[in-house]
Amino acid sequence: RYFLVGSNPAETKYRVLKIDRTEPKDLVVIDDKHVYTQQEVRELLGRLDLGNRTKMGQKGSSGLSRAVSAFGIVGFVRFLEGYYIVLITKRRKMADIGGHAIYKIEDTNMIYIPNDSVRVSHPDEARYLRIFQNVDLSSNFYFSYSYDLSHSLQYNLTVLRMPLEILKTETTQTRQESFDIFEDEGLSTQGGSGVFGICSKPYEKYVWNAKLLESVRTAVHRDWLLYIIHGFCGQSKLLIYGRPIYVTLIARRSSKFAGTRFLKRGANCEGDVANEVETEQILYDASVMSFSAGSYSSYVQVRGSVPLYWSQDISTMMPKPPITLDQADPYAHVAALHFDQMLQRFGSPIIILNLVKEREKRKHERILSEELVAAVTYLNQFLPPEHAIIYIPWDMAKYTKSKLCNVLDRLNVIAESVVKKTGFFVNRPDSYCSILHPDEKWNELGGCVVSTGHLQTGVLRTNCVDCLDRTNTAQFMVGKCALAYQLYSLGLIDKPNLQFDTDAVRLFEELYEDHGDTLSLQYGGSQLVHRVKTYRKIAPWTQHSKDIMQTLSRYYSNAFSDADRQDSINLFLGVFKPAEGKPHLWELPTDFYLHHKNTLSLSQTRQSYTYWWTTGVLKHLPLPFDEVTCGENRLKLTVKKFHKYEEEIDIYNEFFRPYELSSFDETFCLAMTNSTRDFMPKNVGIDPSPFTVRKPDETGKSVLGNKNNREETVLQRKTAASAPPPPSEEAVSSSSEDDSGTDKEDEGAVSQRSTPVKVTDTGDNTKITENVVQSTKDVYGVNLSDIPSEDDLAIYARFVQLGQSQHKQDKGSQQFYSKHLLDKVINLIPISSFSQDNIYEVQPPRADRKSIEIFHAHIQAGRGNMQPPGRDDFLMYREYIRNRYM
């Protein structure tokens, strides 16, 4: 047998899984559902060790040995032989949201479960294993133990509180105290018996290991189930006069109809589209960690292929294969299924920003526009006018070629109108300053206003043909507009408007470029070809050669490696399941039948041509159906009652870990981009505000994006992280022993960034020195009213000379000068509490008797020897009781 021993972070509670290794093709996993203490699990493993040694006669060696240490289970998979278990062996912290850590998988380990004695070998097993491992789990797969990454922040912070209204019948008065618990939500009941914890089901569309956990989901406790997402996660720190604001970007790639560029286009029969990614930008004040007491804001937008039956034939080996519509869909059946999903998850209005070309010499991209317009027009006939789908066509390529039009200005106008219609999420009501001096744009903001803040209703859906370059730039502009509103709602800026060439926008732009490069690598096989700087027309001339290389890289990937990647994705996601007697994966001429289930069996229920939405969706619009309180959504939640002081819901112990010896490597393991260090100019006297417009030559980073010091963009962001991966932490959670050790996260690394050096050619070897005296305004930011007197300046000048000459003297000569000469120059009096204070020796101050007594009493109290309270203590306590309760 294999024994999996899992523990909580504090290593005080343990669970044990038993995996049978005698079954050649079946998976037998036993969870005793018992929670062990550390002592109990040691005794259990000791008995197992002793029993195995006695049975097998191995007196000299241990009967129980550790096979591997891991951070979580990705899942179980079987091809043609027995089952494998996939374990996370290395991780790296990528972001932190309200004390909940988000990790990136750095390395995994696949272990074959059945014993060699019962193994039934198959000749094709090794090939399937190789195809499965082609999905690189160390590239942009993320997980969190305590935060649901498959749902948005709005869902996690609002919906998980709604069902608790049902629990109010237990007590007369209910007060929300804490959200920060291990499950996801907490609610303390005054006069009640404890805290209610709520755990929600993940949104399976964005979970990539759902099929791998399917075989054990009902057999094991939910603490064993770790759901992973694929996409991008990045976090940067925006410092506003020292106040830390974390800007986080999370992209969730859909696991439905997933694949590579030319092999997955359009939509399948269930309304799932290719290259569908939900991007969420989260902004919060990191100085307050709690979800209930802190200030959090988020904005969600979506990208995805045009929801029609269409494809491109790559057998012609053309850079731009012709677009063909595969099936006639006069009643927009597949588009109806797709927009029905969006109405359920996001509410209304659904806004489509279509960036494909409108005017072409040869009809190519325009085919998609014409069909999409027809589909949206048909579907809108049956929706109420106030909830109709909004369609915005804009030929971005045409405007880019025009010398008279500024592309980003036009996109900014579109972004303003979109954000005003959808609104955004913020978990706090309007600040007093915005009520006192309201902004016109703020009053026009859409969304839903509730007592706790604002909710986003509806979403922007952006698409071009590939949903890569043009889409990423458009999403950046909408995100930049939403970021201004988010900062304004948290009271950080006085107007909801952000300018280009500010530290805040540069930081956000770099985050979005990393995000775009990552998604482009996953779907298209290369990084972005056209970036924000390209559309701003400020890209350097070297960028054109890089664009050509990226285009060639994308073409090569699409022509030669996409088919193998598609097979790997189909096998990993369980779209194809190997079986005896069936054709092998590499023998299939196409995977069309795997992704379109209606080709293999006819659906028993037919969707209405007019009432194309799910029952109950329209009744709750503009709110999304998934976030309203109803019986159907109530079934997706699990409610559990905890004691108020139970360790599992104590966010203080969970995050700060007072039971461990803290180290800088663990405390500062997350090395994120910092607006002050990486973007703010280094000269003294510059306005430190990240919202000040900088000139290109006075920023901490070159505005033209010169990144030669990081070995070119192609190498330094190959796996989508903005900095090279620091050394990953080694796994600690035991899979066969209880000795799980400590969490040694060596994740942090100094961000490898540099300031451009300005080289000046003087033309000859002469050195010209110039005495430049800066004004007090330049140095300190204010004009000093009182100028120091001449005597003070003379004393200061002599003090500077003394300091400059001091390091040149040895100790003996310094004493000679101090006795004979320096006493005549100036007599410096130490102002510190040290009796002797110089660069050679320091004599520490002596503690008085009372301080020593207090210290000894503190030491004795730590050992349990408490001193009896004195008369003053009793008087103080009596006064406290009188003021508190009487």
Side-chain angles (χ1 to χ4, degrees):
R1 284 184 175 181
Y2 276 133
F3 291 91
L4 254 69
V5 180
S7 75
N8 62 345
E11 297 174 25
T12 56
K13 293 182 179 180
Y14 293 82
R15 292 185 182 273
V16 179
L17 274 188
K18 304 167 192 171
I19 304 176
D20 191 0
R21 302 185 64 196
T22 60
E23 294 290 336
K25 291 192 176 181
D26 294 327
L27 181 65
V28 180
V29 178
I30 302 167
D31 183 3
D32 57 11
K33 305 288 173 68
H34 181 70
V35 179
Y36 297 88
T37 64
Q38 192 174 62
Q39 183 63 29
E40 289 171 346
V41 84
R42 285 182 186 275
E43 292 173 359
L44 172 67
L45 294 173
R47 288 196 299 269
L48 289 170
D49 182 42
L50 188 63
N52 285 334
R53 279 191 304 188
T54 306
K55 186 192 302 181
M56 301 174 67
Q58 298 174 343
K59 294 183 179 180
S61 61
S62 173
L64 195 68
S65 61
R66 178 182 297 200
V68 69
S69 297
F71 288 112
I73 303 172
V74 175
F76 299 83
V77 63
R78 176 181 175 269
F79 307 122
L80 296 171
E81 295 181 9
Y83 273 90
Y84 297 83
I85 181 172
V86 187
L87 299 170
I88 301 168
T89 54
K90 288 183 183 178
R91 68 182 185 185
R92 179 156 63 102
K93 189 174 179 181
M94 294 300 294
D96 186 281
I97 301 177
H100 300 271
I102 299 173
Y103 296 97
K104 176 180 178 286
I105 298 175
E106 288 285 288
D107 198 11
T108 55
N109 193 1
M110 283 186 74
I111 299 174
Y112 188 68
I113 293 175
N115 270 319
D116 291 339
S117 58
V118 299
R119 182 169 187 170
V120 181
S121 60
H122 194 283
D124 294 314
E125 179 75 9
R127 187 167 181 180
Y128 274 116
L129 181 61
R130 196 162 55 249
I131 293 172
F132 182 87
Q133 290 177 332
N134 274 348
V135 175
D136 187 6
L137 280 168
S138 65
S139 176
N140 312 119
F141 284 88
Y142 305 91
F143 69 93
S144 176
Y145 298 110
S146 54
Y147 183 81
D148 188 353
L149 285 172
S150 66
H151 283 294
S152 65
L153 183 75
Q154 175 170 315
Y155 182 95
N156 288 336
L157 262 65
T158 58
V159 174
L160 296 180
R161 291 180 177 180
M162 291 182 184
L164 295 177
E165 302 294 326
I166 302 167
L167 305 176
K168 281 189 175 181
T169 54
E170 190 168 321
T171 54
T172 55
Q173 187 179 7
T174 306
R175 178 171 61 92
Q176 292 188 0
E177 267 190 358
S178 168
F179 182 84
D180 305 72
I181 69 165
F182 188 77
E183 293 294 331
D184 272 337
E185 174 59 75
L187 182 137
S188 179
T189 54
Q190 279 189 340
S193 55
V195 174
F196 294 103
I198 295 183
C199 182
S200 67
K201 285 185 179 178
Y203 192 65
E204 290 209 0
K205 187 175 190 176
Y206 299 115
V207 175
W208 275 64
N209 62 335
K211 291 288 184 184
L212 301 178
L213 294 172
E214 201 172 44
S215 54
V216 296
R217 186 173 294 175
T218 56
V220 302
H221 190 272
R222 65 176 179 272
D223 285 352
W224 288 103
L225 304 176
L226 193 65
Y227 297 101
I228 64 174
I229 67 165
H230 184 38
F232 173 80
C233 179
Q235 190 169 57
S236 296
K237 183 190 290 185
L238 182 66
L239 276 176
I240 306 175
Y241 294 103
R243 186 177 178 182
I245 306 298
Y246 283 3
V247 183
T248 313
L249 209 58
I250 299 175
R252 309 174 184 92
R253 182 174 289 282
S254 172
S255 61
K256 310 292 183 184
F257 203 52
T260 53
R261 185 183 177 201
F262 285 126
L263 299 177
K264 285 291 161 283
R265 293 296 211 191
N268 65 3
C269 62
E270 297 178 344
D272 301 308
V273 298
N275 195 22
E276 183 173 9
V277 182
E278 180 183 300
T279 299
E280 180 180 21
Q281 61 188 59
I282 298 172
L283 191 80
Y284 75 95
D285 187 345
S287 56
V288 181
M289 188 182 65
S290 165
F291 270 142
S292 55
S295 302
Y296 291 80
S297 176
S298 74
Y299 183 77
V300 178
Q301 47 185 325
V302 177
R303 68 172 70 184
S305 191
V306 179
L308 304 168
Y309 289 120
W310 66 281
S311 63
Q312 287 179 280
D313 183 14
I314 57 172
S315 61
T316 56
M317 296 295 288
M318 295 171 59
K320 287 188 177 181
I323 292 172
T324 56
L325 294 173
D326 298 330
Q327 295 181 33
D329 194 5
Y331 299 107
H333 173 72
V334 65
L337 290 170
H338 177 67
F339 290 122
D340 181 34
Q341 288 181 16
M342 297 190 74
L343 286 173
Q344 287 188 60
R345 184 162 172 85
F346 303 110
S348 69
I350 303 295
I351 304 172
I352 302 170
L353 178 57
N354 185 18
L355 302 174
V356 303
K357 296 176 182 176
E358 298 287 340
R359 295 182 180 179
E360 298 172 297
K361 293 179 181 178
R362 180 174 61 86
K363 202 172 180 182
H364 182 63
E365 295 184 9
R366 197 174 57 186
I367 298 171
L368 300 176
S369 288
E370 292 172 353
E371 287 294 318
L372 184 58
V373 168
V376 171
T377 305
Y378 174 81
L379 296 176
N380 274 341
Q381 296 177 87
F382 313 107
L383 279 176
E386 64 272 18
H387 302 309
I389 300 169
I390 301 171
Y391 178 76
I392 305 173
W394 191 59
D395 188 345
M396 189 168 173
K398 185 186 86 171
Y399 277 86
T400 305
K401 293 174 184 175
S402 171
K403 295 181 180 179
L404 302 175
C405 178
N406 188 320
V407 176
L408 298 189
D409 283 350
R410 175 64 182 148
L411 273 175
N412 195 53
V413 173
I414 295 172
E416 284 283 352
S417 65
V418 165
V419 176
K420 282 180 182 177
K421 287 184 176 73
T422 61
F424 62 96
F425 168 73
V426 62
N427 73 330
R428 50 173 275 181
D430 294 350
S431 56
Y432 180 70
C433 59
S434 62
I435 297 172
L436 200 62
H437 303 289
D439 190 89
E440 294 179 4
K441 290 163 65 176
W442 181 256
N443 294 332
E444 298 170 3
L445 195 66
C448 184
V449 181
V450 292
S451 59
T452 55
H454 292 258
L455 298 180
Q456 179 180 345
T457 58
V459 73
L460 172 69
R461 185 194 189 281
T462 311
N463 73 268
C464 49
V465 177
D466 297 321
C467 303
L468 297 178
D469 302 348
R470 286 174 280 180
T471 298
N472 198 70
T473 301
Q475 284 197 330
F476 163 74
M477 289 303 297
V478 176
K480 170 179 164 289
C481 178
L483 181 69
Y485 280 98
Q486 290 175 286
L487 290 165
Y488 180 80
S489 68
L490 300 184
L492 302 170
I493 54 177
D494 57 348
K495 289 185 179 180
N497 188 32
L498 285 178
Q499 299 290 332
F500 272 108
D501 297 322
T502 58
D503 298 343
V505 173
R506 284 195 180 115
L507 176 141
F508 190 63
E509 182 183 334
E510 183 179 86
L511 206 55
Y512 245 98
E513 283 203 355
D514 290 343
H515 159 267
D517 282 339
T518 307
L519 300 181
S520 184
L521 274 167
Q522 292 164 8
Y523 182 65
S526 76
Q527 295 181 334
L528 291 173
V529 176
H530 302 300
R531 303 172 180 275
V532 176
K533 295 179 180 67
T534 309
Y535 291 104
R536 287 185 71 192
K537 299 178 181 177
I538 61 169
W541 62 271
T542 53
Q543 186 66 39
H544 299 301
S545 59
K546 292 178 184 177
D547 291 349
I548 294 169
M549 291 303 299
Q550 294 298 340
T551 305
L552 293 174
S553 171
R554 188 175 292 184
Y555 175 72
Y556 174 83
S557 174
N558 300 154
F560 299 107
S561 62
D562 277 7
D564 293 336
R565 287 172 58 210
Q566 185 66 57
D567 287 345
S568 303
I569 291 170
N570 289 340
L571 188 62
F572 184 86
L573 292 175
V575 177
F576 177 86
K577 294 182 179 178
E580 291 285 353
K582 284 176 58 179
H584 293 302
L585 179 60
W586 52 87
E587 295 174 350
L588 297 178
T590 177
D591 64 353
F592 180 85
Y593 308 102
L594 301 176
H595 291 274
H596 295 77
K597 295 179 181 177
N598 61 354
T599 58
L600 300 176
S601 61
L602 290 174
S603 176
Q604 299 299 320
T605 59
R606 295 193 64 179
Q607 190 179 18
S608 170
Y609 290 139
T610 55
Y611 297 99
W612 51 267
W613 51 84
T614 304
T615 307
V617 169
L618 277 191
K619 184 171 68 175
H620 299 287
L621 290 180
L623 290 173
F625 179 74
D626 287 353
E627 296 182 11
V628 297
T629 307
C630 62
E632 188 177 337
N633 290 335
R634 181 71 180 83
L635 296 175
K636 300 176 184 176
L637 303 174
T638 305
V639 181
K640 183 180 176 184
K641 188 177 259 187
F642 295 91
H643 188 271
K644 191 182 295 186
Y645 301 109
E646 194 164 340
E647 186 182 71
E648 191 173 358
I649 61 170
D650 187 355
I651 189 61
Y652 178 83
N653 281 328
E654 178 78 19
F655 186 76
F656 291 105
R657 300 186 182 186
Y659 43 80
E660 290 182 3
L661 179 64
S662 298
S663 68
F664 283 148
D665 287 342
E666 295 176 8
T667 308
F668 304 104
C669 59
L670 180 57
M672 66 178 79
T673 307
N674 188 309
S675 64
T676 302
R677 181 187 66 226
D678 301 319
F679 295 94
M680 200 177 83
K682 302 300 183 282
N683 358 1
V684 182
I686 291 291
D687 184 1
S689 170
F691 309 113
T692 301
V693 177
R694 315 279 190 204
K695 294 177 183 178
D697 57 346
E698 65 173 22
T699 178
K701 274 192 177 183
S702 173
V703 72
L704 301 181
N706 182 14
K707 297 179 182 177
N708 293 332
N709 60 310
R710 288 189 283 173
E711 299 184 31
E712 299 298 326
T713 318
V714 176
L715 296 176
Q716 60 89 16
R717 286 194 294 197
K718 191 172 182 181
T719 59
S722 59
S728 304
E729 57 184 78
E730 291 301 326
V732 293
S733 180
S734 171
S735 68
S736 62
E737 291 187 26
D738 63 315
D739 185 19
S740 56
T742 57
D743 199 4
K744 299 178 181 178
E745 296 183 24
D746 188 15
E747 302 159 344
V750 178
S751 184
Q752 299 186 1
R753 310 185 186 279
S754 65
T755 307
V757 179
K758 196 170 183 180
V759 181
T760 306
D761 187 8
T762 57
D764 54 14
N765 295 327
T766 58
K767 294 183 179 180
I768 303 173
T769 58
E770 187 178 348
N771 186 17
V772 180
V773 180
Q774 289 183 305
S775 66
T776 55
K777 175 70 175 177
D778 293 336
V779 177
Y780 301 105
V782 293
N783 283 319
L784 299 179
S785 56
D786 296 330
I787 300 173
S789 64
E790 291 184 5
D791 294 339
D792 293 336
L793 287 173
I795 292 173
Y796 179 69
R798 281 179 285 179
F799 172 71
V800 170
Q801 291 173 358
L802 174 66
Q804 289 175 344
S805 61
Q806 188 167 11
H807 70 278
K808 299 176 184 177
Q809 312 290 338
D810 58 11
K811 193 171 181 180
S813 63
Q814 188 205 11
Q815 291 175 352
F816 173 79
Y817 275 108
S818 61
K819 289 178 180 178
H820 297 280
L821 298 176
L822 296 182
D823 287 342
K824 301 176 182 178
V825 178
I826 188 168
N827 185 18
L828 296 176
I829 301 171
I831 59 171
S832 69
S833 60
F834 296 100
S835 57
Q836 187 175 358
D837 193 359
N838 58 39
I839 63 172
Y840 294 108
E841 56 183 326
V842 171
Q843 183 179 356
R846 295 183 178 180
D848 57 14
R849 183 179 176 184
K850 186 175 181 181
S851 300
I852 294 173
E853 288 176 355
I854 293 173
F855 179 71
H856 283 302
H858 174 69
I859 296 297
Q860 293 299 322
R863 294 173 178 171
N865 303 325
M866 305 298 294
Q867 291 188 351
R871 183 170 176 274
D872 292 341
D873 300 324
F874 276 117
L875 291 174
M876 187 184 298
Y877 182 68
R878 189 176 296 140
E879 187 68 23
Y880 166 75
I881 293 296
R882 185 183 296 114
N883 295 336
R884 180 73 174 81
Y885 297 106
M886 296 181 182

